[in-house]
Amino acid sequence: MILRRRDRGPFENRLVIAGLVLPGMAVMVFAMVVPLGFSVYYSLTDWAGFGDYQIVGLDNYKEILTDDPVFWRSLWNVLLLILVTVFVQNPVAFVLAAVLSHLSEKMSRFLRTAYFIPAVLSLVIVAKLWVDIFNPTFGLLNKVLIAVGLKSLAISWLSDPRTAIWAVIWIIVWQGFGWALLFYYAGLMTVPREIEEAARIDGATWFQTYTRVIIPYLTPVISSVVVIDVVYSMKQMELVYLSTGGGPGQLTQLLGVHLYQKAFVASEYGYGNALSVLLVVVSMGMALVVQRLLRGGQDR
Amino acid sequence: MRRPLTKLLHVGLVLFAFSQVFPLLWVFIYSIQKSGDLFGPELLKLPHDPQWENYARAFTDGHILQYGLNSLMVVTASTVISTALSFCMAYAIARMRWKLKAFALGAITLGMVIPIHATLLPNFIWFGYFGLIDTRVGIVVPYVAFTLSINTLIYLGQLRNLPTSVEEAALIDGASWPRILWSVVLPLATPATVTVAVNTFLTNWNEFIIANTYLATDELRTLPFSIIRFQGQYSSDYAAQFACMVMVAIPPLALYLYFSQRIMAGATAGAVKG
């Protein structure tokens, strides 16, 4: 034989590989990929969820993009959420993580545990908790405001159009804070002591040590956290569903809630599916674009 | 000079921690008072006469026991399956040599980006074909699918750091693959297994929208629904509502406090490695 059969080692055993990979893949295809395919199909119809329907081509998408202010409002809200997360929550978390990294292990562990508690609570509890705190009649926030003499500020936070979206963003950022802190703390733990000490010996103040040495060293971590922030923001839905339902006047709407209401409340199942497809496309697109942008920044 | 400053810093940090925990404390305090106390003018009324019977009411009216058992069944099943499948996938990616490996890893990573509620609408049709609507299996399947990506990546991080020599030796000795995976590799990957299992448990224990949409039969409903049920049926009974929230929060909190170090170590592995 001229053709020699390639010698297959045990780590190339196809049967074993298939046995390991296919079950997991099958579940993902069954519960993620095929549903997405169904969504694409129904997004091309005018189905109400019952009765007959017709294929309407890209009409649903056309309507969403040109004639659905709630869609654009939802995207805008997600953008706001991402911006607040990246530029407000993350810096606070970073500073706090830096302080924690200088404390004794016991103290730091205790505080990290406390900071992370909101992150393990069910969204149903978090939503209900803050709806009650923001409640205009018995809510904690207004009681505090009245107690310190700011009665004029005591408003109905989640239903006032001026404050509703900020109240919602606050809740999401509050719950996600523990994660941001955790990521930055773990990142700071990887900074070699030597480079910090070298900077000190060269006469750098602690502020310079952070801005010139530690933060540049942690750029990959910061980039990863920002990508995670984007994905986390795109996945928000239940909190709005449970707290404001998208109101007042659709001001706090998110894509997930919008598609739910379109399909199950307004009986526009086809239209809801088009929103669902766009949600996936936007989520993937945002994650990839942000990742590329940050990676590109690092190369230079 | 340094001492008082450090002290001040510590006070600040503890206050901040307090602000993260305070809302829960607020709920707890009003869960042992009379519903009317909530409407008083005082900021925080400390209970003189704790009304523990609120908890009894919440427990029965909120169907805590039944919903809790339902949650336990669905979540345990999805945790075991997701952990097992992600371990296998991660092993194949970390150790085996095959052509589509890079593609598979890319697809798995991409899976992390897809929100679970994107399948909310199409599953009504697709799962309907298999009679999976309003069944426990119909909840377990998406719970497994949507935790596989992150779990595989956590396992991958761990497996790549393990030496291959033990497996190779076992292979030469003629051990079968299932045996190698079960009694050689899995024990070495225990830290990752704890992280994966606890994270999956917490994620699915807290999942709301899929359970709320697809489980219509009261006998099947999971724990988060007890709070929703209260809002609807006993909306003026704030004290029992708060008691209900405390009870629903306790299992994940206990699990977290017990495993906190492992959860933190594993959850950050992916982000820090980029």
Side-chain angles (χ1 to χ4, degrees):
Chain A
M1 283 274 279
I2 305 166
L3 264 173
R4 258 177 56 197
R5 245 182 67 201
R6 213 169 121 246
D7 191 28
R8 290 190 178 280
F11 289 101
E12 289 177 56
N13 187 327
R14 284 183 173 169
L15 206 67
V16 174
I17 293 170
L20 290 172
V21 177
L22 289 183
M25 284 291 179
V27 176
M28 286 180 85
V29 168
F30 184 84
M32 293 169 108
V33 181
V34 179
L36 282 177
F38 271 79
S39 238
V40 171
Y41 174 75
Y42 284 100
S43 74
L44 305 174
T45 72
D46 62 356
W47 201 31
F50 46 83
D52 295 333
Y53 64 85
Q54 282 177 339
I55 305 280
V56 294
L58 295 174
D59 283 7
N60 286 327
Y61 292 98
K62 219 180 285 167
E63 192 183 334
I64 291 170
L65 296 175
T66 60
D67 199 25
D68 186 352
V70 181
F71 171 77
W72 295 106
R73 168 62 67 175
S74 306
L75 284 187
W76 172 245
N77 287 341
V78 162
L79 191 68
L80 277 183
L81 175 62
I82 293 172
L83 292 176
V84 172
T85 309
V86 172
F87 293 106
V88 181
Q89 182 212 56
N90 280 6
V92 175
F94 186 89
V95 170
L96 213 61
V99 174
L100 285 180
S101 71
H102 291 287
L103 296 180
S104 69
E105 173 56 24
K106 219 172 140 191
M107 178 85 171
S108 147
R109 181 182 292 194
F110 168 76
L111 289 171
R112 272 181 289 140
T113 308
Y115 294 146
F116 199 69
I117 284 179
V120 296
L121 294 178
S122 157
L123 276 164
V124 180
I125 295 176
V126 172
K128 182 83 177 70
L129 182 91
W130 282 98
V131 166
D132 289 340
I133 290 176
F134 285 133
N135 185 294
T137 35
F138 62 77
L140 180 67
L141 180 60
N142 283 355
K143 281 185 184 173
V144 171
L145 288 172
I146 291 166
V148 298
L150 291 168
K151 198 168 175 164
S152 58
L153 286 180
I155 54 170
S156 179
W157 297 90
L158 280 165
S159 50
D160 191 307
R162 289 166 302 173
T163 54
I165 186 64
W166 302 109
V168 167
I169 289 177
W170 162 259
I171 304 173
I172 297 173
V173 166
W174 176 81
Q175 197 191 15
F177 183 81
W179 282 109
L181 182 87
L182 186 58
F183 289 138
Y184 285 126
Y185 183 82
L188 283 163
M189 288 291 107
T190 66
V191 178
R193 282 265 166 256
E194 304 88 72
I195 68 165
E196 212 179 323
E197 275 157 20
R200 286 294 170 92
I201 291 164
D202 289 345
T205 63
W206 63 265
F207 184 75
Q208 286 169 327
T209 311
Y210 270 93
T211 52
R212 308 242 176 105
V213 179
I214 297 181
I215 292 177
Y217 181 86
L218 287 178
T219 313
V221 175
I222 297 170
S223 306
S224 302
V225 179
V226 171
V227 175
I228 293 171
D229 287 339
V230 170
V231 173
Y232 183 80
S233 301
M234 291 301 303
K235 284 189 174 179
Q236 294 302 320
M237 178 248 173
E238 281 116 319
L239 199 110
V240 166
Y241 175 82
L242 291 162
S243 62
T244 64
Q250 312 278 14
L251 279 175
T252 58
Q253 199 60 275
L254 290 180
L255 274 186
V257 185
H258 186 37
L259 72 90
Y260 186 94
Q261 290 172 348
K262 274 289 177 191
F264 298 136
V265 183
S267 288
E268 294 182 45
Y269 186 80
Y271 191 88
N273 273 297
L275 286 167
S276 195
V277 171
L278 286 174
L279 169 68
V280 174
V281 171
V282 173
S283 299
M284 284 187 177
M286 294 265 273
L288 287 175
V289 166
V290 171
Q291 198 176 23
R292 282 282 148 78
L293 280 179
L294 294 171
R295 283 273 153 82
Q298 272 171 54
D299 291 341
R300 257 167 267 136
Chain B
M1 184 59 209
R2 242 187 110 74
R3 274 281 159 76
L5 201 73
T6 320
K7 277 239 170 79
L8 202 71
L9 194 69
H10 284 199
V11 172
L13 287 170
V14 171
L15 278 178
F16 197 87
F18 190 63
S19 77
Q20 288 291 95
V21 186
F22 184 74
L24 264 187
L25 212 62
W26 185 70
V27 168
F28 174 72
I29 286 171
Y30 283 103
S31 75
I32 48 173
Q33 310 206 15
K34 297 189 179 106
S35 285
D37 290 342
L38 192 60
F39 296 91
E42 57 278 84
L43 266 185
L44 203 61
K45 192 179 167 194
L46 291 175
H48 303 292
D49 162 32
Q51 311 276 314
W52 294 108
E53 64 270 23
N54 294 339
Y55 278 81
R57 255 193 349 271
F59 193 81
T60 32
D61 294 346
H63 292 195
I64 298 274
L65 187 65
Q66 190 197 347
Y67 292 165
L69 285 175
N70 289 340
S71 275
L72 202 62
M73 270 189 266
V74 170
V75 175
T76 307
S78 54
T79 303
V80 171
I81 299 171
S82 179
T83 306
L85 295 183
S86 58
F87 172 74
C88 292
M89 288 204 289
Y91 186 84
I93 292 168
R95 289 285 198 270
M96 313 296 273
R97 286 184 286 269
W98 41 298
K99 257 188 235 153
L100 292 172
K101 192 156 92 170
F103 172 78
L105 183 58
I108 290 167
T109 312
L110 204 58
M112 279 209 300
V113 178
I114 300 173
I116 195 166
H117 49 264
T119 61
L120 211 48
L121 307 187
N123 279 2
F124 258 105
I125 313 291
W126 171 235
F127 279 22
Y129 291 156
F130 304 90
L132 288 177
I133 290 165
D134 201 11
T135 64
R136 289 201 177 97
V137 179
I139 300 299
V140 171
V141 172
Y143 281 7
V144 172
F146 280 89
T147 47
L148 274 178
S149 292
I150 180 77
N151 290 349
T152 305
L153 295 184
I154 293 173
Y155 262 129
L156 202 54
Q158 167 106 58
L159 291 174
R160 279 180 173 156
N161 287 329
L162 292 179
T164 51
S165 49
V166 194
E167 293 142 64
E168 278 157 5
L171 271 170
I172 292 164
D173 287 350
S176 67
W177 273 107
R179 188 157 180 80
I180 291 171
L181 289 175
W182 180 257
S183 20
V184 178
V185 187
L186 193 60
L188 291 173
T190 304
T193 305
V194 175
T195 309
V196 162
V198 175
N199 274 336
T200 312
F201 196 94
L202 285 176
T203 306
N204 290 337
W205 184 270
N206 291 337
E207 202 287 327
F208 170 73
I209 197 72
I210 294 284
N212 187 55
T213 310
Y214 280 90
L215 296 176
T217 311
D218 198 54
E219 282 70 46
L220 295 177
R221 279 182 159 147
T222 52
L223 205 49
F225 192 75
S226 60
I227 296 169
I228 304 294
R229 194 186 149 80
F230 249 94
Q231 268 175 302
Q233 289 190 2
Y234 310 86
S235 57
S236 60
D237 192 350
Y238 283 101
Q241 267 186 53
F242 281 16
C244 186
M245 284 161 74
V246 171
M247 282 191 285
V248 175
I250 284 172
L253 268 182
L255 194 68
Y256 160 67
L257 290 176
Y258 189 75
F259 285 110
S260 62
Q261 292 314 110
R262 281 287 352 132
I263 299 176
M264 293 184 175
T268 51
V272 175
K273 281 184 195 122

